[in-house]
Amino acid sequence: MQVKKINLNEEGLHRFFGTLETKIMEILWVKGKLTIKQVHEIINNESPISLNAVMTVLIRLSDKGHLHKDSSGKGRSKITYFSPTQDKEQFIIEQTKLVTDGLVEDFGSLMVSHLVDNLDKADPELIDRLVQKLDEMRNKP
């Protein structure tokens, strides 16, 4: 699943989600499966928010494919649980790959140039992997 809009001016998960969406995703990544009321209680303990706002965002996150919605019962005894469709690490891996692939496809050499310029900020193990990959590419027939 691909996030439709990326907020370049934000940081971390806020690049992919709004403030309430981020809070909800973080809660569900930790807790797993919760009802609307349970999510609302957790968020409301931090700062007051309406149950309807939480419900609306949970449903939208489900519609976007980030949450799985599971309902049981009928009428007033109906309970709906929400759970993430993928864990946080999977989400970040997938989204950063999609962003990187798109940037390389659209801006190829400029993108690679910017990555090279930022290598001094990279983890030394990643630089070792990059060197190995470059060696493999150079030695291909």
Side-chain angles (χ1 to χ4, degrees), residues 9-64:
N9 295 331
E10 297 292 339
E11 293 183 9
L13 291 171
H14 291 278
R15 289 185 191 266
F16 304 107
F17 297 117
T19 302
L20 184 53
E21 288 177 324
T22 301
K23 281 183 186 180
I24 288 171
M25 292 304 298
E26 290 281 13
I27 289 167
L28 291 172
W29 277 323
V30 171
K31 302 283 187 180
K33 187 176 185 180
L34 296 174
T35 64
I36 295 167
K37 189 174 181 179
Q38 290 170 322
V39 173
H40 175 255
E41 287 174 3
I42 293 168
I43 295 172
N44 200 47
N45 284 338
E46 292 176 19
S47 60
I49 188 166
S50 75
L51 179 65
N52 283 343
V54 173
M55 179 175 61
T56 299
V57 173
L58 280 164
I59 292 168
R60 286 186 183 157
L61 285 167
S62 175
D63 291 345
K64 292 176 183 178

Side-chain angles (χ1 to χ4, degrees), residues 1-5 16-17 21 24-25 28-29 32 57-69 82-87 91 94-95 98:
M1 117 212 42
Q2 184 173 5
V3 172
K4 302 253 189 267
K5 182 180 173 188
F16 304 107
F17 297 117
E21 288 177 324
I24 288 171
M25 292 304 298
L28 291 172
W29 277 323
V57 173
L58 280 164
I59 292 168
R60 286 186 183 157
L61 285 167
S62 175
D63 291 345
K64 292 176 183 178
H66 299 296
L67 297 178
H68 176 71
K69 185 171 140 181
F82 290 87
S83 59
T85 56
Q86 57 189 170
D87 67 32
F91 173 82
E94 182 177 295
Q95 297 310 311
L98 288 167

Side-chain angles (χ1 to χ4, degrees), residues 115-126:
L115 286 173
V116 169
D117 291 344
N118 281 284
L119 283 175
D120 58 332
K121 299 173 188 169
D123 180 334
E125 288 180 25
L126 288 175

